[in-house]
Amino acid sequence: MAQRFGGKYSPQPMDAGTSDSPGYSGVAPGRTVTAAEPVHPLARRPVWLIVAAIPFLPSAFGGGPGALIRGLGAFALVAGAAFLIREGLKAEAAWQARSAARRPVLPRKILGSIVFGLGLGLGAGQAGMLGAIAIGAVAAILALTAFGPDPLRDKGMEGFDGIQHDRAARAIAEGEKRLTEMREAIRRTGDIALSDRVERFARGAQALFRAVEQDPGDLALARRYMGVYLDGARDATSRFVELWIAHRDTAARTAYEALLTDLETDFASRTRTLIEGGRQDLTLEIEVLRERLSREGLRADPVAETPPPPES
Amino acid sequence: MQFILSGNCIPSPEAKMSLKFVRTLAFWLAFALTLSVALKGTV
């Protein structure tokens, strides 16, 4: 189905809430920002390595089986290395975007650099055995320097229960999946205002995800929101989309948008509660520590610390 | 060095620029090396 063109700076309907709003005002109040996967600044570079390796392909033919294996093998290894490095860059961007994250299980960028070295070593048939090894080693070092090593440590996991953190990560992944399904469903309507509305709702839900991510202990308080409510929102979205495509049912649209608004409010309020809870925990910890310090005589009395008034 | 390369620290703007330069240089060298090996079978 055709979809109205729209981007970050495209004009949006004045009132995204109803379909009765008379067209576009020329003002861009709400911006449709498509979500949300963090992108590494170097993510496009690995493709250029594949481009540079294209000449391996014509040279593979016409020189006998050895040349064929060398040419195709070298190209396949370089392309595989570029793919691995790209996946590694994606994983690194996701790792950097989160305040608490485990290191990637497979160090893809390091592995990709090694495979890249193997590819160029295999392709360097004219350089002799030692030359090929040298070229492969230099290529691996250059790739590792160009893209950097993978994150090799966990981040922000100090004092976290590993099982609890995994449980929270699983719940967040499920929640993100439901949001993606909602986005895909609403896109079928071809209506940018609706897509934008769902995107705003998704951002609210993701704020709750981030709060849970920072303190996985809060999962119990947010589980209903990340499971039952998001399930309901997804199901409501797909039903609404069917109705909208079939009948352009304005009443259904109003009800659906009201549901999204209610859910958005609930999600925001729950996120605030979680953040407040975290602040209370911090205050409590500070008070306990202060009390302990003063009991052990390490903390001076605040009254004694105030400087005497200047003599006139 | 690995600490800096991994981007896990908060480097100064100058250090960031140097790192970016080194990475860009290494990338284009890798590109040129790949092209050369793919075209000639050696460097």
Side-chain angles (χ1 to χ4, degrees):
Chain A
M1 179 184 278
Q3 185 175 358
R4 184 185 288 276
F5 173 78
K8 195 175 172 187
Y9 300 107
S10 301
Q12 303 287 314
M14 278 298 281
D15 180 8
T18 62
S19 61
D20 301 332
S21 56
Y24 291 78
S25 67
V27 183
R31 291 168 175 178
T32 309
V33 181
T34 45
E37 206 171 306
V39 179
H40 198 284
L42 306 180
R44 289 176 186 215
R45 282 193 180 172
V47 177
W48 288 102
L49 295 181
I50 302 180
V51 172
I54 286 175
F56 277 127
L57 292 177
S59 68
F61 300 98
L68 183 76
I69 289 171
R70 202 165 41 242
L72 291 185
F75 181 80
L77 284 173
V78 172
F83 175 76
L84 270 175
I85 291 172
R86 193 161 145 258
E87 291 301 308
L89 291 170
K90 269 190 207 168
E92 188 185 15
W95 184 89
Q96 277 173 345
R98 282 168 173 70
S99 56
R102 282 191 193 286
R103 66 195 159 90
V105 179
L106 192 69
R108 298 177 187 84
K109 287 201 289 177
I110 296 174
L111 210 61
S113 302
I114 294 169
V115 174
F116 180 66
L118 288 176
L120 286 203
L122 178 66
Q126 311 287 324
M129 178 64 96
L130 274 181
I133 291 173
I135 287 173
V138 169
I141 291 168
L142 283 177
L144 194 61
T145 311
F147 298 104
D150 303 83
L152 295 172
R153 62 182 178 84
D154 296 340
K155 183 172 78 165
M157 306 279 289
E158 303 79 14
F160 280 177
D161 177 356
I163 297 169
Q164 207 170 34
H165 192 272
D166 289 346
R167 213 174 283 158
R170 266 201 303 277
I172 290 169
E174 283 290 314
E176 292 281 5
K177 199 173 132 202
R178 287 179 186 114
L179 290 179
T180 309
E181 285 166 0
M182 280 178 75
R183 286 191 191 104
E184 281 167 5
I186 206 71
R187 210 170 290 149
R188 285 172 46 217
T189 61
D191 188 315
I192 277 185
L194 278 171
S195 297
D196 190 39
R197 185 72 197 79
V198 167
E199 193 54 49
R200 263 188 291 153
F201 167 72
R203 280 202 291 273
Q206 281 168 333
L208 181 71
F209 296 170
R210 297 293 88 83
V212 171
E213 198 172 65
Q214 277 168 12
D215 189 354
D218 287 341
L219 179 62
L221 298 172
R223 189 179 277 282
R224 200 155 29 104
Y225 288 78
M226 292 162 71
V228 181
Y229 290 172
L230 271 187
D231 265 345
R234 182 198 52 194
D235 295 346
T237 304
S238 42
R239 290 224 179 90
F240 162 70
V241 168
E242 282 163 21
L243 267 178
W244 182 253
I245 289 173
H247 308 295
R248 299 274 151 186
D249 188 340
T250 333
R253 179 173 179 146
T254 313
Y256 173 68
E257 286 179 341
L259 169 75
L260 282 188
T261 308
D262 287 350
L263 281 173
E264 208 173 11
T265 315
D266 284 353
F267 271 79
S269 129
R270 177 56 62 173
T271 309
R272 264 199 307 279
T273 313
L274 296 188
I275 292 169
E276 282 293 321
R279 200 178 297 144
Q280 278 170 11
D281 288 349
L282 175 67
T283 315
L284 196 68
E285 266 177 35
I286 289 173
E287 272 173 17
V288 168
L289 191 59
R290 274 195 171 145
E291 197 179 313
R292 203 165 158 183
L293 285 173
S294 63
R295 206 183 308 137
E296 291 176 12
L298 291 175
R299 183 166 163 253
D301 187 2
V303 180
E305 276 180 357
T306 50
E311 288 173 21
S312 55
Chain B
M1 185 62 180
Q2 192 208 329
F3 185 59
I4 295 170
L5 280 174
S6 68
N8 294 341
C9 58
I10 304 170
S12 66
E14 292 82 11
K16 261 188 186 172
M17 285 302 291
S18 314
L19 181 62
K20 202 174 163 189
F21 175 73
V22 169
R23 284 196 168 165
T24 308
L25 183 67
F27 169 73
W28 287 113
L29 284 175
F31 179 85
L33 181 62
T34 311
L35 202 59
S36 166
V37 173
L39 286 171
K40 295 193 293 185
T42 184
V43 282

Coordinates of all heavy atoms in Angstrom, one line a residue, chain A residues 185 188 231-247 249 252 256:
Chain A
A185 N 2.5 -3.3 12.4 CA 1.1 -3.4 12.2 C 0.6 -2.0 11.7 O -0.2 -1.9 10.7 CB 0.4 -3.9 13.4
R188 N 0.9 -0.6 8.2 CA 0.1 -1.1 7.2 C -1.1 -0.1 6.9 O -1.6 -0.1 5.8 CB -0.5 -2.4 7.5 CG 0.5 -3.5 7.4 CD 0.0 -4.8 8.0 NE -1.4 -5.1 7.5 CZ -2.3 -5.7 8.3 NH1 -2.0 -6.1 9.5 NH2 -3.5 -6.0 7.8
D231 N 1.0 -6.5 25.5 CA 0.3 -7.5 24.7 C -1.0 -7.0 24.3 O -1.4 -7.1 23.1 CB 0.1 -8.8 25.6 CG 1.1 -9.8 25.4 OD1 1.9 -9.7 24.4 OD2 1.2 -10.8 26.2
G232 N -1.7 -6.4 25.3 CA -3.0 -5.8 25.0 C -2.9 -4.7 23.9 O -3.7 -4.7 23.0
A233 N -1.9 -3.8 24.1 CA -1.8 -2.7 23.1 C -1.5 -3.3 21.7 O -2.0 -2.8 20.7 CB -0.6 -1.8 23.6
R234 N -0.6 -4.4 21.7 CA -0.3 -4.9 20.3 C -1.6 -5.5 19.7 O -1.8 -5.3 18.5 CB 0.8 -6.0 20.5 CG 1.2 -6.7 19.2 CD 1.9 -8.0 19.5 NE 1.1 -8.8 20.3 CZ 1.5 -9.9 20.9 NH1 2.8 -10.3 20.8 NH2 0.7 -10.7 21.7
D235 N -2.3 -6.3 20.5 CA -3.6 -6.9 20.0 C -4.5 -5.8 19.5 O -5.2 -6.0 18.4 CB -4.2 -7.8 21.0 CG -3.3 -9.0 21.3 OD1 -2.4 -9.2 20.5 OD2 -3.6 -9.7 22.3
A236 N -4.7 -4.8 20.3 CA -5.6 -3.7 20.0 C -5.2 -3.1 18.7 O -6.0 -2.7 17.8 CB -5.7 -2.7 21.1
T237 N -3.8 -2.9 18.5 CA -3.3 -2.3 17.3 C -3.7 -3.1 16.1 O -4.1 -2.6 15.1 CB -1.8 -2.2 17.4 OG1 -1.4 -1.4 18.6 CG2 -1.2 -1.4 16.2
S238 N -3.4 -4.5 16.2 CA -3.7 -5.2 15.0 C -5.2 -5.2 14.6 O -5.6 -5.2 13.5 CB -3.1 -6.6 15.0 OG -3.3 -7.2 16.3
R239 N -6.1 -5.3 15.7 CA -7.5 -5.2 15.4 C -7.9 -3.9 14.8 O -8.7 -3.8 13.8 CB -8.3 -5.4 16.7 CG -8.2 -6.8 17.2 CD -9.5 -7.4 17.7 NE -9.2 -8.7 18.1 CZ -8.8 -9.0 19.4 NH1 -8.8 -8.1 20.3 NH2 -8.5 -10.3 19.7
F240 N -7.3 -2.8 15.4 CA -7.7 -1.5 14.8 C -7.2 -1.4 13.4 O -8.0 -0.8 12.6 CB -7.0 -0.4 15.7 CG -6.9 0.9 15.0 CD1 -8.1 1.6 14.8 CD2 -5.7 1.4 14.5 CE1 -8.1 2.8 14.1 CE2 -5.7 2.6 13.8 CZ -6.9 3.3 13.6
V241 N -6.0 -1.9 13.1 CA -5.5 -1.8 11.7 C -6.5 -2.5 10.7 O -6.8 -1.9 9.7 CB -4.1 -2.3 11.6 CG1 -3.7 -2.5 10.2 CG2 -3.1 -1.4 12.4
E242 N -6.9 -3.7 11.1 CA -7.9 -4.4 10.2 C -9.1 -3.5 10.0 O -9.6 -3.4 8.9 CB -8.2 -5.7 10.9 CG -7.2 -6.8 10.7 CD -7.4 -7.9 11.7 OE1 -8.5 -8.1 12.1 OE2 -6.4 -8.6 11.9
L243 N -9.7 -3.0 11.1 CA -10.9 -2.2 11.0 C -10.6 -0.9 10.1 O -11.5 -0.6 9.3 CB -11.3 -1.7 12.4 CG -12.3 -2.6 13.1 CD1 -12.6 -2.0 14.5 CD2 -13.6 -2.6 12.3
W244 N -9.5 -0.3 10.4 CA -9.2 0.9 9.7 C -9.0 0.7 8.2 O -9.5 1.5 7.3 CB -8.0 1.6 10.3 CG -7.6 2.9 9.7 CD1 -6.6 3.2 8.8 CD2 -8.3 4.1 9.8 NE1 -6.6 4.5 8.5 CE2 -7.7 5.1 9.1 CE3 -9.5 4.5 10.6 CZ2 -8.1 6.4 9.0 CZ3 -9.9 5.8 10.5 CH2 -9.2 6.8 9.7
I245 N -8.3 -0.4 7.8 CA -8.1 -0.7 6.4 C -9.4 -1.0 5.7 O -9.7 -0.6 4.6 CB -7.1 -1.8 6.3 CG1 -5.7 -1.3 6.6 CG2 -7.1 -2.3 4.8 CD1 -4.6 -2.3 6.7
A246 N -10.3 -1.8 6.5 CA -11.5 -2.2 5.8 C -12.6 -1.1 5.8 O -13.3 -0.9 4.7 CB -12.1 -3.4 6.6
H247 N -12.7 -0.3 6.9 CA -13.9 0.6 6.9 C -13.5 2.0 7.2 O -14.4 2.9 7.2 CB -14.8 0.2 8.0 CG -15.2 -1.3 8.0 ND1 -16.0 -1.8 6.9 CD2 -15.0 -2.3 8.8 CE1 -16.1 -3.1 7.1 NE2 -15.5 -3.5 8.3
D249 N -12.8 3.4 10.0 CA -13.8 3.6 11.1 C -13.2 4.7 12.1 O -12.3 4.4 12.8 CB -13.9 2.3 11.9 CG -15.0 2.3 12.9 OD1 -15.3 3.5 13.3 OD2 -15.5 1.3 13.3
A252 N -13.4 4.0 15.8 CA -12.4 3.0 16.3 C -11.1 3.7 16.4 O -10.3 3.5 17.4 CB -12.3 1.9 15.3
Y256 N -9.0 4.0 19.8 CA -7.6 3.4 19.8 C -6.6 4.5 20.3 O -5.7 4.2 21.1 CB -7.2 3.0 18.4 CG -5.8 2.5 18.2 CD1 -5.3 1.4 18.9 CD2 -4.9 3.3 17.5 CE1 -4.0 1.0 18.8 CE2 -3.6 2.9 17.3 CZ -3.1 1.8 18.0 OH -1.8 1.4 17.9

